Amino acid sequence: MAEIGTDIQKAVDELNRGNVVAVPTETVYGLAGNAFDVTAVAKIFEVKRRPSFDPLIVHIASYDCLDSVVRRIPEPARILAQALWPGPLTLVLPKADEIPELVTSGLSTVAVRVPDHPLTAKLLATLSFPLACPSANPFGYISPTSAQHVADQLGEAINYILDGGSCKVGIESTIVGFEDGQAVIYRPGGVPVESIEHLIGKTSMKSMSDSPLAPGMLKSHYSPSKSLILGNISELLDQYGHEQVGVLSFSRYFEQLDHGYQIQLSPTGNLTEAAQNLFASLRKLDSMNIRYIFAETVPEQGLGIAINNRLKRAAGGNAQINVRKECS
Ligand code: AMP
Ligand code: MG
């Protein structure tokens, strides 16, 4: 069983040995390995049971390290990185030869970011290599936002989990690429699209696809093992009844349902708080003795766009309403 602790040197030793360790970031916990070492990267895919067509995000210590993993930095990428790093922004840029193809699933681009967490920042500053670091969950399941979440699922497969407390953003990074000089949002996330557009102007959003070749845009993801149905919760309760049902609402409380079976993401209607609580709430509902999770979307603005994206993907084919077209 993995040891949970705050000993950076233990994490350094494991990583220098070519092993993988779980690390905290402001978004979700990551499963980290030496990004330059194909064997370490292969271990990440193995532990996560992640298909090799789904590329990893490379984590670096600071903007100054970007040259060691990418070939070229377009001007809008430089503007975004300098304004928003460290932070929940991932840039997709032409990859340097040193990055193994396994990291990028054969793509000529690499996804890279500087995480904003004091322990992992110190870890990256100590190491002589960047970290390939996808979320520390089994492929397709809900992302972990605490050390215990990681231990619950990957505890048998790794030796060490660096414990940095609960993730303060709670949702994965916003992924931005550049196609023909135009910024494209591949995944909405912890940096609101509005903040990105404020810095570099209009962006476009690439829609999710069932095609494994469209990296990271698989429709069904972040999924609990219970059936999650996304729609109007009152109508769903009327339609299906209350038996074996749990509810995940934005802020509303439903009188007709036992309070033990409902979670409000943010009772005060705050999207930052809702993002922080999203994955832990999904895990809690998933562990209850229920068959269905009824959930509703949150306001489609700021972090709400990323929250709705995760809810829709957690629902897989069970979405009864449409959230904004570009995010579907
Ligand atoms: P995770 O680290 O689990 O949040 O997943 C990383 C995600 O980053 C992948 O699923 C992809 O969506 C995205 N990604 C990584 N590399 C690339 C790339 N070269 N081009 C586009 N998206 C990428
Ligand atoms: Mg992930």
Side-chain angles (χ1 to χ4, degrees), residues 48 50 135 137 221:
K48 268 186 71 87
R50 182 173 175 123
S135 51
N137 52 323
H221 215 78

Side-chain angles (χ1 to χ4, degrees), residues 66 69-74 77 85 91-96 108-112 176-178:
L66 190 54
V69 295
V70 309
R71 239 179 328 107
R72 201 163 42 78
I73 308 170
W85 281 353
L91 296 172
V92 174
L93 299 172
K95 87 171 192 68
S108 60
T109 51
V110 62
V112 54
V176 183
F178 302 89

Side-chain angles (χ1 to χ4, degrees), residues 48 50 54-57 92 107 109-111 133-135 172 175 186-187 215-217:
K48 268 186 71 87
R50 182 173 175 123
D54 197 12
L56 309 179
I57 296 175
V92 174
L107 295 168
T109 51
V110 62
C133 187
S135 51
E172 295 86 348
I175 303 179
Y186 292 131
R187 175 177 73 185
M217 297 175 193

Side-chain angles (χ1 to χ4, degrees), residues 237-266:
L237 287 170
D238 287 345
Q239 198 179 331
Y240 291 83
H242 306 168
E243 283 301 307
Q244 295 207 296
V245 163
V247 154
L248 183 66
S249 75
F250 179 37
S251 55
R252 240 174 0 136
Y253 180 77
F254 295 86
E255 295 293 346
Q256 63 268 50
L257 191 71
D258 189 294
H259 80 276
Y261 289 97
Q262 47 182 320
I263 298 178
Q264 289 85 39
L265 284 175
S266 170

Side-chain angles (χ1 to χ4, degrees), residues 279-295:
F279 289 137
S281 304
L282 279 171
R283 278 174 186 263
K284 196 162 172 199
L285 285 161
D286 208 25
S287 70
M288 289 180 188
N289 184 22
I290 54 176
R291 274 185 72 185
Y292 300 104
I293 300 169
F294 295 164

Side-chain angles (χ1 to χ4, degrees), residues 87-328:
L89 169 78
T90 295
L91 296 172
V92 174
L93 299 172
K95 87 171 192 68
D97 292 341
E98 289 72 21
I99 297 291
E101 294 217 328
L102 187 57
V103 170
T104 65
S105 304
L107 295 168
S108 60
T109 51
V110 62
V112 54
R113 83 177 190 101
V114 178
D116 184 16
H117 191 289
L119 282 185
T120 299
K122 205 161 168 201
L123 176 68
L124 281 163
T126 311
L127 295 167
S128 59
F129 45 81
L131 293 172
C133 187
S135 51
N137 52 323
F139 180 70
Y141 192 66
I142 305 162
S143 298
T145 53
S146 73
Q148 191 56 49
H149 290 164
V150 181
D152 288 345
Q153 291 186 299
L154 303 182
E156 301 294 337
I158 60 178
N159 295 330
Y160 198 65
I161 300 170
L162 195 57
D163 187 354
S166 292
C167 300
K168 69 177 183 199
V169 174
I171 206 158
E172 295 86 348
S173 58
T174 305
I175 303 179
V176 183
F178 302 89
E179 297 180 10
D180 302 324
Q182 173 68 33
V184 180
I185 311 285
Y186 292 131
R187 175 177 73 185
V191 176
V193 174
E194 293 90 329
S195 309
I196 290 168
E197 296 195 333
H198 178 73
L199 289 161
I200 58 164
K202 198 86 195 109
T203 62
S204 60
M205 186 101 68
K206 267 254 165 96
S207 55
M208 272 188 251
S209 149
D210 288 323
S211 159
L213 292 177
M217 297 175 193
L218 302 169
K219 259 186 191 152
S220 175
H221 215 78
Y222 310 104
S223 303
S225 52
K226 306 281 154 61
S227 279
L228 186 142
I229 303 173
L230 195 57
N232 178 309
I233 293 172
S234 296
E235 284 174 15
L236 288 167
L237 287 170
D238 287 345
Q239 198 179 331
Y240 291 83
H242 306 168
E243 283 301 307
Q244 295 207 296
V245 163
V247 154
L248 183 66
S249 75
F250 179 37
S251 55
R252 240 174 0 136
Y253 180 77
F254 295 86
E255 295 293 346
Q256 63 268 50
L257 191 71
D258 189 294
H259 80 276
Y261 289 97
Q262 47 182 320
I263 298 178
Q264 289 85 39
L265 284 175
S266 170
T268 58
N270 178 310
L271 288 168
T272 304
E273 184 183 35
Q276 281 164 353
N277 290 333
L278 178 66
F279 289 137
S281 304
L282 279 171
R283 278 174 186 263
K284 196 162 172 199
L285 285 161
D286 208 25
S287 70
M288 289 180 188
N289 184 22
I290 54 176
R291 274 185 72 185
Y292 300 104
I293 300 169
F294 295 164
E296 64 184 3
T297 52
V298 302
E300 184 73 0
Q301 64 194 47
L303 283 181
I305 296 175
I307 296 170
N308 288 339
N309 169 276
R310 304 307 187 273
L311 284 169
K312 201 168 179 218
R313 292 162 77 176
N318 293 331
Q320 296 207 330
I321 55 153
N322 291 319
V323 288
R324 212 171 77 174
K325 194 79 184 130
E326 306 92 275
C327 299
S328 62

